Amino acid sequence: MSSILVRAAQADDIDTIHGFILALAEYERLAHEVKADRDMLGRYLFGPRPMAEVLIAEADGSAVGFALFFHNFSTFEGRPGLYLEDLFVLPEARGRGAGKALLARLAALAIDRDCARLEWSVLDWNEPSIAFYRALGARAMDEWTVQRVDGQALVRLAALPS
């Protein structure tokens, strides 16, 4: 079994990142919702004002997983946090420690950056991932539900008088 190397993604990783996003969307049965393309990812991940960061997990020199994350802020804590938007490991690489290595690096980044917490969402049907997260000490925030405004609802909301 090879060791897992976790590194910060670079601009020349765009094709790899895009491939992981497509594979994740397929796994989550959401491939029809992917709008991200390479140009868009390049602009928002590596442009003049990056909006998110990516870690790449490698085994034997090949990318086997990724984590895309960004900072949020807790008003109650008065400190930043890290929000893990997506974590994905190729099916053939699962069980080799890549997911754990990505989460461990995110936890270390959160501590280094004086973040109060590391948070993410998981689909309620994804029992293998839920069990994996519980084994690492994650807890469900069952009293909270995710709310979203997008598409035309977002446009209508933005047009309301302020």
Side-chain angles (χ1 to χ4, degrees), residues 10 40 63 65 91-93 95 120 131 159:
Q10 304 298 318
M40 190 182 301
E92 62 271 18
W120 63 91

Side-chain angles (χ1 to χ4, degrees), residues 3-152:
S3 63
I4 302 295
L5 168 75
V6 175
R7 64 173 178 80
Q10 304 298 318
D12 61 354
D13 290 312
I14 288 293
D15 287 338
T16 299
I17 295 166
H18 190 250
F20 281 136
I21 291 169
L22 295 175
L24 171 64
E26 197 65 38
Y27 174 76
E28 290 183 343
R29 304 175 209 147
L30 297 170
H32 61 282
E33 292 192 20
V34 176
K35 296 176 184 143
D37 62 30
R38 289 166 185 82
D39 291 337
M40 190 182 301
L41 291 170
R43 181 170 60 248
Y44 292 121
L45 296 176
F46 303 106
R49 186 171 176 229
M51 299 292 176
E53 299 173 64
V54 175
L55 297 175
I56 303 281
E58 294 180 340
D60 300 321
S62 295
V64 297
F66 89 123
L68 188 146
F69 64 99
F70 53 88
H71 282 273
N72 56 16
F73 193 84
S74 169
T75 53
F76 287 7
E77 292 280 348
R79 294 170 48 207
L82 284 186
Y83 187 82
L84 172 60
E85 179 67 23
D86 284 314
L87 174 80
F88 181 74
V89 174
L90 294 172
E92 62 271 18
R94 292 181 187 153
R96 295 170 56 189
K100 188 183 293 185
L102 285 164
L103 284 167
R105 175 66 67 83
L106 285 168
L109 282 173
I111 291 167
D112 289 347
R113 296 177 183 185
D114 195 32
C115 295
R117 56 189 172 212
L118 169 62
E119 296 179 302
W120 63 91
S121 297
V122 61
L123 292 166
D124 60 3
W125 57 260
N126 193 345
E127 291 297 329
S129 293
I130 293 169
F132 171 68
Y133 298 143
R134 293 296 171 278
L136 295 176
R139 62 186 172 91
M141 304 295 292
D142 292 330
E143 64 276 15
W144 296 88
T145 62
V146 175
Q147 305 297 303
R148 178 179 292 167
V149 179
D150 60 6
Q152 286 305 305

